[in-house]
Short mmCIF file of all heavy atoms in Angstrom, two decimals:
data_model
loop_
_atom_site.label_atom_id
_atom_site.label_comp_id
_atom_site.label_asym_id
_atom_site.label_seq_id
_atom_site.Cartn_x
_atom_site.Cartn_y
_atom_site.Cartn_z
N ARG C 156 15.59 7.37 23.77
CA ARG C 156 16.09 8.17 24.87
C ARG C 156 15.95 7.56 26.19
O ARG C 156 16.86 7.46 27.03
CB ARG C 156 15.24 9.46 24.83
CG ARG C 156 16.02 10.70 25.31
CD ARG C 156 15.39 11.96 24.82
NE ARG C 156 13.94 11.83 24.63
CZ ARG C 156 13.21 12.57 23.76
NH1 ARG C 156 13.85 13.44 22.97
NH2 ARG C 156 11.93 12.39 23.62
N ARG C 160 18.87 6.58 28.80
CA ARG C 160 18.84 7.09 30.15
C ARG C 160 18.96 5.98 31.18
O ARG C 160 19.68 6.05 32.21
CB ARG C 160 17.61 7.97 30.40
CG ARG C 160 17.70 9.35 29.78
CD ARG C 160 16.45 10.19 30.07
NE ARG C 160 16.51 11.42 29.27
CZ ARG C 160 15.49 12.14 28.89
NH1 ARG C 160 14.28 11.67 29.11
NH2 ARG C 160 15.57 13.23 28.24
N GLN C 180 18.44 9.11 38.32
CA GLN C 180 17.61 9.35 37.19
C GLN C 180 17.80 10.73 36.66
O GLN C 180 18.00 10.98 35.47
CB GLN C 180 16.15 9.12 37.53
CG GLN C 180 15.37 8.39 36.47
CD GLN C 180 14.46 7.36 37.05
OE1 GLN C 180 13.71 7.67 38.01
NE2 GLN C 180 14.46 6.19 36.45
N ALA C 181 17.66 11.73 37.58
CA ALA C 181 17.90 13.11 37.16
C ALA C 181 19.24 13.36 36.57
O ALA C 181 19.47 13.99 35.53
CB ALA C 181 17.64 14.08 38.35
N GLN C 188 21.93 14.53 28.01
CA GLN C 188 21.82 15.78 27.25
C GLN C 188 23.22 16.35 27.07
O GLN C 188 23.52 16.86 25.91
CB GLN C 188 20.98 16.77 28.04
CG GLN C 188 20.59 18.01 27.23
CD GLN C 188 19.65 17.64 26.03
OE1 GLN C 188 18.77 16.84 26.21
NE2 GLN C 188 19.85 18.28 24.92
N SER C 192 25.11 17.01 23.52
CA SER C 192 25.58 18.33 23.11
C SER C 192 27.09 18.30 22.77
O SER C 192 27.45 18.89 21.69
CB SER C 192 25.40 19.22 24.36
OG SER C 192 24.05 19.44 24.67
N GLN C 195 27.41 16.83 19.39
CA GLN C 195 27.01 17.79 18.26
C GLN C 195 28.14 18.83 18.06
O GLN C 195 28.53 19.10 16.93
CB GLN C 195 25.71 18.55 18.71
CG GLN C 195 24.52 17.75 18.33
CD GLN C 195 23.21 18.38 18.86
OE1 GLN C 195 23.11 19.59 19.01
NE2 GLN C 195 22.29 17.52 19.18
N LEU C 196 28.63 19.48 19.17
CA LEU C 196 29.66 20.44 18.98
C LEU C 196 30.91 19.84 18.25
O LEU C 196 31.57 20.46 17.52
CB LEU C 196 30.08 21.01 20.30
CG LEU C 196 29.08 21.90 21.01
CD1 LEU C 196 29.52 22.34 22.33
CD2 LEU C 196 28.72 23.06 20.08
N GLU C 199 30.26 19.14 14.27
CA GLU C 199 30.23 20.35 13.40
C GLU C 199 31.62 20.64 12.84
O GLU C 199 32.62 20.64 13.59
CB GLU C 199 29.73 21.50 14.24
CG GLU C 199 29.06 22.58 13.38
CD GLU C 199 28.71 23.73 14.31
OE1 GLU C 199 28.23 23.46 15.49
OE2 GLU C 199 28.75 24.93 13.90
N PRO C 203 34.63 29.19 14.64
CA PRO C 203 35.48 29.93 15.62
C PRO C 203 35.16 29.55 17.03
O PRO C 203 34.04 29.48 17.44
CB PRO C 203 35.10 31.38 15.35
CG PRO C 203 33.88 31.38 14.54
CD PRO C 203 33.79 30.03 13.83
N GLU C 207 38.18 25.53 22.08
CA GLU C 207 37.95 26.13 23.41
C GLU C 207 36.56 25.73 23.92
O GLU C 207 36.45 25.31 25.09
CB GLU C 207 38.03 27.73 23.31
CG GLU C 207 37.62 28.43 24.50
CD GLU C 207 38.57 28.20 25.72
OE1 GLU C 207 39.67 27.60 25.48
OE2 GLU C 207 38.26 28.51 26.85
N GLN C 211 35.70 23.55 27.33
CA GLN C 211 34.88 24.09 28.41
C GLN C 211 33.75 23.10 28.75
O GLN C 211 33.40 22.86 29.88
CB GLN C 211 34.27 25.46 28.04
CG GLN C 211 35.28 26.55 27.98
CD GLN C 211 34.62 27.95 27.86
OE1 GLN C 211 33.38 28.07 28.02
NE2 GLN C 211 35.50 28.96 27.68
N TYR C 219 30.96 18.13 36.99
CA TYR C 219 29.61 17.75 37.44
C TYR C 219 29.77 16.36 38.13
O TYR C 219 29.15 16.07 39.23
CB TYR C 219 28.69 17.57 36.24
CG TYR C 219 27.28 17.14 36.50
CD1 TYR C 219 26.40 17.91 37.21
CD2 TYR C 219 26.84 15.87 36.12
CE1 TYR C 219 25.08 17.53 37.49
CE2 TYR C 219 25.55 15.51 36.32
CZ TYR C 219 24.70 16.27 37.05
OH TYR C 219 23.40 15.89 37.33
N ARG D 176 22.78 28.64 12.76
CA ARG D 176 23.59 28.56 13.93
C ARG D 176 24.57 29.73 14.05
O ARG D 176 24.73 30.38 15.10
CB ARG D 176 24.37 27.23 13.86
CG ARG D 176 24.71 26.66 15.23
CD ARG D 176 24.94 25.20 15.15
NE ARG D 176 25.54 24.80 13.87
CZ ARG D 176 25.34 23.61 13.32
NH1 ARG D 176 24.60 22.71 13.89
NH2 ARG D 176 25.95 23.33 12.22
N ARG D 180 24.90 32.46 16.98
CA ARG D 180 26.14 32.57 17.82
C ARG D 180 26.58 34.00 17.75
O ARG D 180 27.00 34.60 18.77
CB ARG D 180 27.17 31.64 17.23
CG ARG D 180 26.96 30.22 17.74
CD ARG D 180 28.04 29.30 17.22
NE ARG D 180 27.78 27.92 17.57
CZ ARG D 180 28.17 26.89 16.86
NH1 ARG D 180 28.88 27.07 15.75
NH2 ARG D 180 27.88 25.64 17.24
N GLN D 200 33.40 34.46 21.58
CA GLN D 200 32.96 33.51 20.57
C GLN D 200 32.84 32.11 21.11
O GLN D 200 31.82 31.44 20.94
CB GLN D 200 34.01 33.41 19.43
CG GLN D 200 33.36 33.40 18.05
CD GLN D 200 34.05 34.29 17.09
OE1 GLN D 200 35.31 34.31 16.99
NE2 GLN D 200 33.32 35.04 16.27
N ALA D 201 33.83 31.65 21.88
CA ALA D 201 33.76 30.30 22.49
C ALA D 201 32.58 30.26 23.51
O ALA D 201 31.78 29.29 23.45
CB ALA D 201 35.07 30.02 23.22
N GLN D 208 24.65 26.07 22.75
CA GLN D 208 24.32 24.69 22.92
C GLN D 208 23.55 24.43 24.21
O GLN D 208 22.67 23.62 24.28
CB GLN D 208 25.67 23.97 23.02
CG GLN D 208 25.60 22.43 22.95
CD GLN D 208 25.03 21.97 21.58
OE1 GLN D 208 25.39 22.48 20.58
NE2 GLN D 208 24.13 21.03 21.63
N SER D 212 19.90 22.83 24.61
CA SER D 212 19.72 21.68 25.44
C SER D 212 18.56 21.84 26.44
O SER D 212 17.70 20.98 26.63
CB SER D 212 20.98 21.31 26.22
OG SER D 212 22.01 20.94 25.25
N GLN D 215 15.28 21.62 24.75
CA GLN D 215 14.89 20.26 24.42
C GLN D 215 14.40 19.54 25.70
O GLN D 215 13.26 18.89 25.66
CB GLN D 215 16.07 19.43 23.92
CG GLN D 215 16.21 19.67 22.38
CD GLN D 215 17.55 19.07 21.86
OE1 GLN D 215 18.00 18.02 22.45
NE2 GLN D 215 18.09 19.68 20.87
N LEU D 216 15.10 19.66 26.77
CA LEU D 216 14.62 18.99 27.99
C LEU D 216 13.20 19.55 28.46
O LEU D 216 12.44 18.81 28.99
CB LEU D 216 15.66 19.25 29.14
CG LEU D 216 17.02 18.45 28.95
CD1 LEU D 216 17.93 18.76 30.12
CD2 LEU D 216 16.71 16.96 28.92
N GLU D 219 10.26 18.10 26.09
CA GLU D 219 9.85 16.74 26.23
C GLU D 219 8.77 16.59 27.23
O GLU D 219 8.78 17.13 28.32
CB GLU D 219 11.15 15.97 26.65
CG GLU D 219 11.08 14.46 26.36
CD GLU D 219 12.35 13.81 26.91
OE1 GLU D 219 13.37 14.44 26.92
OE2 GLU D 219 12.24 12.60 27.39
N PRO D 223 10.87 10.82 34.21
CA PRO D 223 11.41 10.80 35.63
C PRO D 223 12.56 11.72 35.71
O PRO D 223 13.53 11.72 35.00
CB PRO D 223 11.78 9.33 35.83
CG PRO D 223 11.75 8.69 34.51
CD PRO D 223 10.88 9.49 33.60
N GLU D 227 13.95 18.15 38.39
CA GLU D 227 15.27 18.20 39.00
C GLU D 227 16.37 18.43 37.91
O GLU D 227 17.26 19.31 38.05
CB GLU D 227 15.53 16.86 39.70
CG GLU D 227 16.93 16.67 40.20
CD GLU D 227 17.36 17.65 41.31
OE1 GLU D 227 16.39 18.33 41.81
OE2 GLU D 227 18.55 17.76 41.64
N GLN D 231 18.92 21.66 37.58
CA GLN D 231 20.41 21.44 37.55
C GLN D 231 21.02 22.14 36.34
O GLN D 231 22.02 22.80 36.42
CB GLN D 231 20.74 20.03 37.54
CG GLN D 231 20.46 19.25 38.87
CD GLN D 231 21.09 17.84 38.94
OE1 GLN D 231 21.83 17.50 38.03
NE2 GLN D 231 20.77 17.14 39.97
N TYR D 239 27.86 29.41 35.14
CA TYR D 239 28.81 29.64 34.08
C TYR D 239 28.98 31.14 33.79
O TYR D 239 30.08 31.65 33.66
CB TYR D 239 28.32 28.93 32.76
CG TYR D 239 29.19 29.08 31.56
CD1 TYR D 239 30.41 28.41 31.54
CD2 TYR D 239 28.79 29.84 30.49
CE1 TYR D 239 31.28 28.56 30.42
CE2 TYR D 239 29.56 29.93 29.38
CZ TYR D 239 30.84 29.32 29.31
OH TYR D 239 31.62 29.44 28.22
#
Side-chain angles (χ1 to χ4, degrees):
Chain C
R156 212 159 28 210
R160 282 180 186 153
Q180 221 140 47
Q188 191 67 40
S192 295
Q195 274 173 33
L196 291 179
E199 206 183 324
E207 172 66 11
Q211 288 192 9
Y219 180 70
Chain D
R176 209 157 33 208
R180 282 179 185 153
Q200 221 141 45
Q208 191 66 42
S212 295
Q215 274 172 33
L216 290 180
E219 202 183 328
E227 172 66 12
Q231 288 191 10
Y239 180 70

